[in-house]
Amino acid sequence: MHKRLKEAHEVRFPAVFLRTLCLFIVLLCCLGCDDSESSESNTSVYFKFGDSLHWALPDYDDSHWQTKYVEPETPQDYLWVRVHVNDENLGKIPDIEPGISVGIFTPAELYWNGVLIGSNTIKNLPIESDSARLFTTLPIPNPAPPGEPNLLVIRLLIRNYMPNIMMGEIGVYQTLLKEQRIQEINELILGGIYFVIAAFYLFFWASGETQYASKVFIFLLLLASITSINDFLLHYINPSLEWIIPFYAFDVSVMFGIGMLIPLFLMQQFNYPNKWLLIPLGVIVLFLVYMEPGGISMIAGIIFSFGISIWALVKKRDDSIPLFIGMLACFVGGILNIICDYNLLDAGFLTLIIITNIVLMLRIRQRRQDHQSSLTRSARLEAQLLRKSIQPHYVLNSMNAVMDWIETEPEKGIEFLGALAEEFQVLSRISHKKEIPVAEEIRICEAHLKIMSCRKEIDYALKTKGILPEEHIPPAIFHTLIENGVKYGSQNGKGVDFLIEREDINSGRRYRSFNTCPEQGKAISEPDGTGMLYIKSRLEESYGMSWKLNSGFVKNGYEVTIEIYDGERKA
């Protein structure tokens, strides 16, 4: 993200040579800003519309010129800017050639101490050719003796252009060229870093391991990569001025996208409730882009995002501390970029990206560990379900009953074998599944009650209310409750009535299992019994902490309620 209208490089010379002179603060006058004086150099700037080559001479009296830029009342063709530079170190070492680097949005000629040192036009054509480039670095062949003032004069063709000077900088000529190459390499490296990280997360997206926040982060990285590569191309190609507006329009659009994606990512990461705030933020950012194009839209998004990170820190959300540190670095870099012209926005944004990458990678690793744990738990629950349903004494007692019925009541024995085979068949089919339709669960319960009715010669009746057949629940949840009801609910040979009921609640649903129980003796579902432990394990596997189970005696029976929530578990 290049430094746009507030860019001011800091080029350091050898210790015994002249100090860096930043003309940027002075040349901001050309942007219509308030005139300001640099605390690091003694300079004075004068402006005049019109055209005369005499204005380039050092002994020309410019005391009657304007001291700050004012828009002309009538269209003008030329603007002259005279900058008196007083630097005692300039020209102190004759063996080192000084130079000047400047970015100008209009065709321009540069004079130093009355001598034309070059222009930003292509192939040094006259500025009237309207063929110029944005960035120009020129050597200064004739600096004044040490201690004497120097004069920089810029002749601007403003007939078809805005008189904007992007940056001005004086330093060692070869060092300025080297600094430009370094800047290009830095932009290219940053773009490559962002793209590689984005490609890395795209792989996880393709494998289905990313959440919504991670997908937003991918688009954020891609936009950051695009704007860095766009800045690299802008400096490396140094296009002619007619291409500058498309370059900057594209860059402003990308920066707007970054300014919107940063708060969207944090909103998703921290589950921020008021996501509608992105709408007024977008309106504000668009207004800021209209008033001041450039990185201001991204900085507006950073300020808003910093507020979200503070909210997450106060609410003690997961990963709020590292992301707050990253947003703090980005926020400080953006503010210093505006107030003090210190270009720390890139460093702050890169810090945020690195911290966010670490946070998301730790989350992905944790999800993988949880996934492996869930596979292990599922295998254990599957074995537990089969072991619980096909117990030796249960099978042995069932076979003994079949033998008796085959001799005395063959038809009843065949009916019993059919019910037993159906129960085993369904259990073997669903044991490895995480969830099954409620209709299939009810079918298992009916098969089990049919078996137990035949074995114990007791009437067991199952009724349902409000059940949605296609709704999914963990396997054998109701079947386990039915088993417990059969085991502990029937006394003195009396029958047992079962009821499974469903109803909607706030942010979820509730299942209620009830069976008649004449006497409040032993708890039908012991809190730490095998059956209840199985039910809790299955609920935790499917819903995490978004469920609640209660059980206890009620009038005329025993009741178990299971509440399943769509979001976080309710208090």
Side-chain angles (χ1 to χ4, degrees), residues 354-422:
I354 292 175
I355 292 177
T356 303
N357 180 53
I358 294 174
V359 168
L360 293 181
M361 286 306 303
L362 290 176
R363 284 201 171 189
I364 290 176
R365 187 179 71 172
Q366 184 62 44
R367 284 199 299 271
R368 284 190 166 187
Q369 292 176 349
D370 293 343
H371 179 66
Q372 292 297 328
S373 299
S374 68
L375 291 179
T376 303
R377 182 168 58 249
S378 296
R380 186 180 69 253
L381 291 174
E382 179 182 353
Q384 184 179 349
L385 172 60
L386 294 176
R387 184 171 61 251
K388 178 179 68 68
S389 303
I390 312 178
Q391 297 179 16
H393 73 274
Y394 176 75
V395 177
L396 181 60
N397 292 337
S398 298
M399 292 300 101
N400 288 333
V402 169
M403 293 173 61
D404 291 339
W405 284 324
I406 287 178
E407 294 180 356
T408 58
E409 300 180 60
E411 293 183 358
K412 189 174 183 179
I414 293 174
E415 181 183 357
F416 178 81
L417 279 176
L420 185 63
E422 181 181 6

Coordinates of all heavy atoms in Angstrom, one line a residue, residues 354-422:
I354 N -0.4 -11.6 10.4 CA 0.4 -12.7 11.0 C -0.3 -13.2 12.2 O -0.4 -14.4 12.4 CB 1.8 -12.2 11.3 CG1 2.6 -11.9 10.0 CG2 2.6 -13.2 12.2 CD1 4.0 -11.3 10.3
I355 N -0.7 -12.3 13.1 CA -1.4 -12.8 14.3 C -2.7 -13.5 13.9 O -3.0 -14.6 14.5 CB -1.7 -11.6 15.2 CG1 -0.4 -11.0 15.8 CG2 -2.6 -11.9 16.4 CD1 -0.6 -9.8 16.6
T356 N -3.5 -13.0 13.0 CA -4.7 -13.6 12.6 C -4.4 -15.0 12.0 O -5.2 -16.0 12.3 CB -5.5 -12.8 11.6 OG1 -5.7 -11.5 12.1 CG2 -6.8 -13.4 11.2
N357 N -3.4 -15.1 11.2 CA -3.0 -16.4 10.7 C -2.7 -17.4 11.8 O -3.1 -18.6 11.7 CB -1.8 -16.2 9.7 CG -1.4 -17.5 9.1 OD1 -2.1 -18.2 8.5 ND2 -0.1 -17.9 9.3
I358 N -1.9 -17.0 12.8 CA -1.6 -17.9 13.9 C -2.9 -18.3 14.6 O -3.1 -19.5 14.9 CB -0.6 -17.2 14.9 CG1 0.7 -17.0 14.2 CG2 -0.4 -18.0 16.1 CD1 1.7 -16.2 15.0
V359 N -3.8 -17.4 14.9 CA -5.0 -17.7 15.6 C -5.9 -18.7 14.8 O -6.4 -19.7 15.3 CB -5.8 -16.4 15.8 CG1 -7.3 -16.7 16.3 CG2 -5.2 -15.5 16.9
L360 N -6.0 -18.5 13.5 CA -6.8 -19.4 12.7 C -6.2 -20.8 12.5 O -6.9 -21.8 12.5 CB -7.0 -18.8 11.3 CG -7.9 -17.5 11.2 CD1 -8.1 -17.0 9.8 CD2 -9.3 -17.8 11.8
M361 N -4.8 -20.8 12.4 CA -4.2 -22.1 12.4 C -4.3 -22.9 13.6 O -4.5 -24.1 13.6 CB -2.7 -21.9 12.1 CG -2.4 -21.5 10.6 SD -3.1 -22.6 9.4 CE -2.4 -24.2 9.9
L362 N -4.3 -22.2 14.8 CA -4.5 -22.9 16.1 C -5.9 -23.4 16.1 O -6.2 -24.5 16.7 CB -4.2 -21.9 17.2 CG -2.7 -21.6 17.4 CD1 -2.6 -20.6 18.6 CD2 -1.9 -22.8 17.8
R363 N -6.9 -22.6 15.6 CA -8.3 -23.1 15.6 C -8.4 -24.3 14.7 O -9.2 -25.3 15.0 CB -9.2 -22.0 15.1 CG -9.4 -20.9 16.2 CD -10.7 -20.1 16.0 NE -11.0 -19.3 17.1 CZ -12.2 -18.6 17.2 NH1 -13.1 -18.8 16.2 NH2 -12.5 -17.9 18.2
I364 N -7.8 -24.3 13.5 CA -7.9 -25.4 12.6 C -7.3 -26.7 13.2 O -7.8 -27.8 13.2 CB -7.2 -25.1 11.3 CG1 -8.0 -24.0 10.5 CG2 -7.0 -26.3 10.4 CD1 -7.3 -23.6 9.2
R365 N -6.1 -26.5 13.9 CA -5.5 -27.6 14.6 C -6.4 -28.2 15.7 O -6.6 -29.4 15.9 CB -4.2 -27.2 15.2 CG -3.4 -28.4 15.8 CD -2.1 -28.0 16.3 NE -2.2 -27.2 17.5 CZ -1.2 -26.8 18.3 NH1 0.0 -27.1 18.0 NH2 -1.4 -26.2 19.4
Q366 N -7.1 -27.2 16.4 CA -8.0 -27.7 17.5 C -9.2 -28.4 16.9 O -9.6 -29.4 17.5 CB -8.4 -26.5 18.3 CG -9.3 -26.8 19.5 CD -8.6 -27.7 20.5 OE1 -7.4 -27.4 20.8 NE2 -9.3 -28.7 21.0
R367 N -9.7 -27.9 15.8 CA -10.8 -28.6 15.2 C -10.4 -30.0 14.7 O -11.2 -30.9 14.8 CB -11.4 -27.8 14.0 CG -12.2 -26.6 14.4 CD -13.1 -26.1 13.3 NE -12.3 -25.7 12.2 CZ -11.8 -24.4 12.0 NH1 -12.1 -23.5 12.9 NH2 -11.2 -24.1 10.9
R368 N -9.2 -30.1 14.2 CA -8.7 -31.4 13.7 C -8.6 -32.4 14.9 O -9.0 -33.5 14.8 CB -7.4 -31.3 13.0 CG -7.5 -30.7 11.6 CD -6.2 -30.8 10.9 NE -6.4 -30.6 9.4 CZ -5.4 -30.8 8.5 NH1 -4.2 -31.2 8.9 NH2 -5.6 -30.6 7.3
Q369 N -8.1 -31.9 16.0 CA -8.0 -32.7 17.2 C -9.4 -33.1 17.7 O -9.6 -34.2 18.1 CB -7.2 -32.0 18.3 CG -5.7 -31.7 18.0 CD -5.0 -30.9 19.0 OE1 -5.7 -30.3 19.9 NE2 -3.7 -30.9 18.9
D370 N -10.3 -32.1 17.7 CA -11.7 -32.4 18.1 C -12.3 -33.5 17.2 O -13.1 -34.3 17.6 CB -12.5 -31.2 18.1 CG -12.1 -30.2 19.2 OD1 -11.3 -30.6 20.1 OD2 -12.4 -29.0 19.1
H371 N -12.0 -33.3 15.9 CA -12.5 -34.3 14.9 C -12.0 -35.7 15.2 O -12.8 -36.7 15.1 CB -12.2 -33.8 13.5 CG -12.7 -34.8 12.4 ND1 -14.0 -35.0 12.2 CD2 -12.0 -35.6 11.5 CE1 -14.2 -35.8 11.2 NE2 -13.0 -36.2 10.8
Q372 N -10.7 -35.8 15.4 CA -10.1 -37.1 15.7 C -10.7 -37.7 17.0 O -11.0 -38.9 17.1 CB -8.6 -37.0 15.9 CG -7.9 -36.7 14.6 CD -8.1 -37.8 13.5 OE1 -8.2 -39.0 13.9 NE2 -8.1 -37.4 12.3
S373 N -10.9 -36.8 18.0 CA -11.5 -37.2 19.3 C -13.0 -37.7 19.0 O -13.4 -38.7 19.6 CB -11.5 -36.1 20.3 OG -10.2 -35.7 20.6
S374 N -13.7 -36.9 18.2 CA -15.1 -37.3 17.9 C -15.2 -38.7 17.2 O -16.1 -39.5 17.4 CB -15.8 -36.2 17.1 OG -15.2 -36.2 15.8
L375 N -14.2 -38.9 16.3 CA -14.2 -40.2 15.6 C -13.9 -41.3 16.6 O -14.6 -42.4 16.6 CB -13.1 -40.2 14.5 CG -13.3 -39.3 13.3 CD1 -12.1 -39.4 12.4 CD2 -14.6 -39.7 12.6
T376 N -13.0 -41.1 17.5 CA -12.7 -42.1 18.6 C -13.9 -42.3 19.4 O -14.3 -43.4 19.8 CB -11.5 -41.7 19.4 OG1 -10.4 -41.5 18.6 CG2 -11.2 -42.7 20.4
R377 N -14.6 -41.2 19.8 CA -15.7 -41.3 20.7 C -16.9 -41.9 19.9 O -17.6 -42.7 20.5 CB -16.2 -39.8 21.1 CG -17.3 -39.8 22.0 CD -17.6 -38.5 22.7 NE -17.8 -37.4 21.7 CZ -16.9 -36.5 21.4 NH1 -15.7 -36.4 22.1 NH2 -17.2 -35.5 20.5
S378 N -17.0 -41.7 18.6 CA -18.1 -42.3 17.9 C -17.9 -43.8 17.8 O -18.9 -44.6 17.9 CB -18.1 -41.7 16.5 OG -18.5 -40.4 16.5
A379 N -16.7 -44.2 17.6 CA -16.4 -45.7 17.6 C -16.7 -46.3 18.9 O -17.2 -47.4 19.0 CB -14.9 -45.9 17.2
R380 N -16.3 -45.6 20.0 CA -16.6 -46.1 21.3 C -18.1 -46.2 21.6 O -18.6 -47.2 22.1 CB -15.9 -45.2 22.4 CG -16.1 -45.8 23.8 CD -15.4 -44.9 24.8 NE -16.1 -43.7 25.0 CZ -15.6 -42.5 24.6 NH1 -14.5 -42.4 23.9 NH2 -16.3 -41.4 24.8
L381 N -18.8 -45.2 21.1 CA -20.3 -45.1 21.3 C -21.0 -46.2 20.5 O -22.0 -46.8 20.9 CB -20.8 -43.8 21.0 CG -20.5 -42.6 21.9 CD1 -20.9 -41.3 21.4 CD2 -21.0 -42.9 23.3
E382 N -20.4 -46.4 19.3 CA -21.0 -47.5 18.4 C -20.9 -48.8 19.1 O -21.8 -49.6 19.2 CB -20.3 -47.5 17.1 CG -20.8 -48.6 16.1 CD -20.1 -48.6 14.8 OE1 -19.3 -47.6 14.6 OE2 -20.3 -49.5 14.0
A383 N -19.7 -49.1 19.6 CA -19.4 -50.4 20.3 C -20.3 -50.5 21.6 O -20.8 -51.5 21.9 CB -17.9 -50.5 20.7
Q384 N -20.4 -49.3 22.3 CA -21.2 -49.3 23.5 C -22.7 -49.6 23.2 O -23.4 -50.3 23.9 CB -21.1 -47.9 24.2 CG -21.8 -47.8 25.5 CD -21.6 -46.5 26.1 OE1 -20.7 -45.7 25.7 NE2 -22.3 -46.2 27.2
L385 N -23.2 -49.0 22.0 CA -24.6 -49.2 21.7 C -24.8 -50.7 21.4 O -25.8 -51.3 21.8 CB -24.9 -48.3 20.5 CG -26.3 -48.6 19.8 CD1 -27.4 -48.4 20.8 CD2 -26.5 -47.7 18.6
L386 N -23.9 -51.3 20.6 CA -24.1 -52.7 20.2 C -24.0 -53.6 21.5 O -24.7 -54.6 21.6 CB -23.1 -53.1 19.2 CG -23.2 -52.4 17.8 CD1 -22.1 -52.8 16.9 CD2 -24.6 -52.8 17.2
R387 N -23.0 -53.3 22.3 CA -22.8 -54.1 23.5 C -24.0 -53.9 24.5 O -24.5 -54.9 25.1 CB -21.6 -53.6 24.2 CG -21.2 -54.5 25.4 CD -19.8 -54.2 26.0 NE -19.7 -52.8 26.5 CZ -19.0 -51.9 25.8 NH1 -18.4 -52.1 24.7 NH2 -19.0 -50.6 26.3
K388 N -24.6 -52.7 24.5 CA -25.7 -52.5 25.4 C -27.0 -53.1 24.9 O -27.8 -53.7 25.6 CB -26.0 -50.9 25.5 CG -27.2 -50.5 26.3 CD -27.3 -49.0 26.4 CE -27.7 -48.5 25.0 NZ -29.0 -48.8 24.6
S389 N -27.1 -53.2 23.6 CA -28.4 -53.7 23.0 C -28.3 -55.2 22.8 O -29.4 -55.9 22.7 CB -28.6 -53.0 21.6 OG -28.7 -51.6 21.8
I390 N -27.1 -55.8 22.6 CA -27.0 -57.2 22.4 C -26.3 -57.8 23.6 O -25.1 -58.3 23.5 CB -26.3 -57.5 21.1 CG1 -26.9 -56.7 19.9 CG2 -26.4 -59.0 20.7 CD1 -26.2 -56.9 18.6
Q391 N -26.8 -57.7 24.8 CA -26.2 -58.2 25.9 C -26.4 -59.8 26.0 O -27.5 -60.2 25.5 CB -26.7 -57.6 27.2 CG -26.5 -56.1 27.3 CD -27.0 -55.5 28.5 OE1 -27.4 -56.2 29.5 NE2 -27.1 -54.2 28.5
P392 N -25.5 -60.5 26.5 CA -25.6 -62.0 26.5 C -26.9 -62.5 27.2 O -27.6 -63.4 26.7 CB -24.4 -62.5 27.3 CG -23.4 -61.4 27.0 CD -24.2 -60.1 27.0
H393 N -27.2 -61.9 28.4 CA -28.4 -62.4 29.1 C -29.6 -62.0 28.4 O -30.6 -62.7 28.4 CB -28.4 -61.8 30.5 CG -28.8 -60.3 30.6 ND1 -27.8 -59.3 30.5 CD2 -30.0 -59.7 30.8 CE1 -28.4 -58.2 30.6 NE2 -29.7 -58.4 30.8
Y394 N -29.6 -60.9 27.6 CA -30.8 -60.5 26.8 C -31.0 -61.4 25.7 O -32.1 -61.9 25.5 CB -30.6 -59.0 26.3 CG -31.7 -58.6 25.4 CD1 -32.9 -58.2 25.9 CD2 -31.4 -58.5 24.0 CE1 -33.9 -57.7 25.1 CE2 -32.4 -58.0 23.2 CZ -33.7 -57.6 23.7 OH -34.7 -57.2 22.9
V395 N -29.9 -61.8 25.0 CA -30.0 -62.7 23.9 C -30.4 -64.1 24.4 O -31.3 -64.8 23.8 CB -28.7 -62.8 23.1 CG1 -28.8 -63.8 22.0 CG2 -28.4 -61.4 22.5
L396 N -29.8 -64.5 25.5 CA -30.1 -65.8 26.1 C -31.5 -66.0 26.5 O -32.2 -67.0 26.2 CB -29.1 -66.1 27.3 CG -29.3 -67.5 28.0 CD1 -29.0 -68.6 27.0 CD2 -28.3 -67.6 29.2
N397 N -32.0 -65.0 27.2 CA -33.4 -65.0 27.7 C -34.4 -65.0 26.5 O -35.4 -65.7 26.5 CB -33.7 -63.8 28.6 CG -33.0 -63.9 29.9 OD1 -32.6 -65.0 30.4 ND2 -32.8 -62.7 30.5
S398 N -34.0 -64.2 25.4 CA -34.9 -64.2 24.2 C -34.9 -65.6 23.5 O -35.9 -66.0 23.1 CB -34.4 -63.1 23.3 OG -34.4 -61.8 23.9
M399 N -33.7 -66.2 23.5 CA -33.7 -67.5 22.8 C -34.5 -68.6 23.6 O -35.1 -69.5 23.0 CB -32.2 -68.0 22.7 CG -31.4 -67.2 21.7 SD -32.1 -67.2 20.0 CE -32.9 -65.6 19.9
N400 N -34.4 -68.5 24.9 CA -35.2 -69.4 25.8 C -36.7 -69.2 25.6 O -37.4 -70.2 25.5 CB -34.8 -69.2 27.3 CG -33.4 -69.7 27.6 OD1 -32.9 -70.7 27.0 ND2 -32.8 -69.2 28.6
A401 N -37.1 -68.0 25.4 CA -38.5 -67.7 25.2 C -38.9 -68.2 23.8 O -40.0 -68.8 23.7 CB -38.7 -66.2 25.3
V402 N -38.0 -68.1 22.8 CA -38.4 -68.6 21.5 C -38.5 -70.1 21.5 O -39.4 -70.7 20.9 CB -37.3 -68.2 20.5 CG1 -37.4 -68.9 19.2 CG2 -37.3 -66.7 20.3
M403 N -37.6 -70.8 22.2 CA -37.7 -72.3 22.3 C -39.0 -72.7 22.9 O -39.6 -73.7 22.5 CB -36.5 -72.8 23.1 CG -35.2 -72.6 22.4 SD -33.8 -73.0 23.5 CE -34.1 -74.7 23.8
D404 N -39.4 -72.0 24.0 CA -40.7 -72.4 24.6 C -41.9 -72.1 23.7 O -42.8 -73.0 23.6 CB -40.9 -71.5 25.9 CG -39.9 -72.0 27.0 OD1 -39.4 -73.1 26.9 OD2 -39.6 -71.1 27.9
W405 N -41.9 -71.0 23.0 CA -43.0 -70.7 22.1 C -43.1 -71.6 20.9 O -44.2 -71.9 20.4 CB -42.9 -69.2 21.7 CG -43.3 -68.3 22.8 CD1 -44.3 -68.5 23.7 CD2 -42.8 -67.0 23.1 NE1 -44.4 -67.4 24.6 CE2 -43.5 -66.5 24.2 CE3 -41.8 -66.2 22.5 CZ2 -43.2 -65.2 24.7 CZ3 -41.5 -65.0 23.0 CH2 -42.1 -64.5 24.1
I406 N -42.0 -72.0 20.4 CA -42.0 -72.9 19.2 C -42.7 -74.2 19.6 O -43.4 -74.8 18.7 CB -40.5 -73.1 18.7 CG1 -40.0 -71.9 18.0 CG2 -40.5 -74.3 17.8 CD1 -38.6 -72.0 17.6
E407 N -42.5 -74.6 20.8 CA -43.1 -75.9 21.2 C -44.6 -75.7 21.6 O -45.4 -76.6 21.3 CB -42.4 -76.5 22.5 CG -41.0 -76.9 22.2 CD -40.3 -77.5 23.4 OE1 -40.9 -77.4 24.5 OE2 -39.1 -77.9 23.3
T408 N -44.9 -74.6 22.2 CA -46.3 -74.4 22.7 C -47.1 -73.5 21.7 O -48.3 -73.8 21.4 CB -46.3 -73.7 24.1 OG1 -45.5 -72.5 24.0 CG2 -45.6 -74.7 25.1
E409 N -46.5 -72.4 21.3 CA -47.2 -71.4 20.4 C -46.3 -71.0 19.3 O -45.7 -69.9 19.3 CB -47.7 -70.2 21.2 CG -48.6 -70.5 22.4 CD -49.0 -69.2 23.2 OE1 -49.6 -68.3 22.5 OE2 -48.6 -69.1 24.4
P410 N -46.2 -71.8 18.2 CA -45.3 -71.5 17.1 C -45.6 -70.1 16.5 O -44.6 -69.4 16.1 CB -45.6 -72.6 16.1 CG -46.2 -73.7 16.9 CD -47.0 -73.1 18.1
E411 N -46.8 -69.8 16.3 CA -47.1 -68.5 15.7 C -46.5 -67.3 16.5 O -46.0 -66.4 16.0 CB -48.6 -68.3 15.5 CG -49.2 -69.3 14.5 CD -50.7 -69.1 14.3 OE1 -51.2 -68.1 15.0 OE2 -51.3 -69.8 13.5
K412 N -46.7 -67.4 17.8 CA -46.2 -66.4 18.7 C -44.7 -66.3 18.7 O -44.0 -65.3 18.7 CB -46.7 -66.6 20.1 CG -46.4 -65.4 21.0 CD -47.0 -65.6 22.4 CE -46.8 -64.4 23.3 NZ -47.4 -64.6 24.6
G413 N -44.1 -67.5 18.6 CA -42.6 -67.6 18.5 C -42.1 -67.0 17.2 O -41.0 -66.3 17.2
I414 N -42.8 -67.2 16.1 CA -42.3 -66.6 14.8 C -42.5 -65.1 14.9 O -41.6 -64.4 14.4 CB -43.2 -67.2 13.7 CG1 -42.9 -68.7 13.5 CG2 -42.9 -66.4 12.4 CD1 -43.7 -69.4 12.5
E415 N -43.6 -64.6 15.5 CA -43.8 -63.2 15.6 C -42.7 -62.6 16.5 O -42.1 -61.5 16.2 CB -45.1 -62.9 16.2 CG -45.4 -61.4 16.4 CD -46.8 -61.2 17.1 OE1 -47.5 -62.2 17.4 OE2 -47.1 -60.0 17.4
F416 N -42.3 -63.3 17.5 CA -41.2 -62.8 18.4 C -39.9 -62.7 17.7 O -39.1 -61.8 17.8 CB -41.1 -63.7 19.6 CG -40.0 -63.3 20.6 CD1 -40.2 -62.3 21.5 CD2 -38.8 -63.9 20.6 CE1 -39.2 -61.9 22.4 CE2 -37.8 -63.6 21.5 CZ -38.0 -62.6 22.4
L417 N -39.6 -63.8 16.9 CA -38.3 -63.8 16.2 C -38.3 -62.7 15.2 O -37.2 -62.1 14.9 CB -38.2 -65.2 15.5 CG -37.6 -66.3 16.3 CD1 -37.6 -67.6 15.5 CD2 -36.2 -66.0 16.8
G418 N -39.4 -62.4 14.5 CA -39.4 -61.3 13.6 C -39.1 -59.9 14.2 O -38.4 -59.1 13.7
A419 N -39.7 -59.7 15.4 CA -39.5 -58.5 16.1 C -38.0 -58.4 16.6 O -37.4 -57.3 16.5 CB -40.4 -58.3 17.3
L420 N -37.5 -59.5 17.1 CA -36.1 -59.5 17.5 C -35.1 -59.3 16.4 O -34.2 -58.5 16.5 CB -35.8 -60.9 18.2 CG -34.4 -61.0 18.8 CD1 -34.3 -60.0 20.0 CD2 -34.2 -62.4 19.3
A421 N -35.4 -59.9 15.2 CA -34.5 -59.7 14.0 C -34.6 -58.3 13.5 O -33.6 -57.7 13.1 CB -35.0 -60.7 12.9
E422 N -35.8 -57.7 13.6 CA -36.0 -56.3 13.1 C -35.2 -55.3 14.0 O -34.5 -54.4 13.5 CB -37.4 -55.9 13.1 CG -37.7 -54.5 12.6 CD -39.2 -54.1 12.7 OE1 -40.0 -54.9 13.2 OE2 -39.5 -53.0 12.2

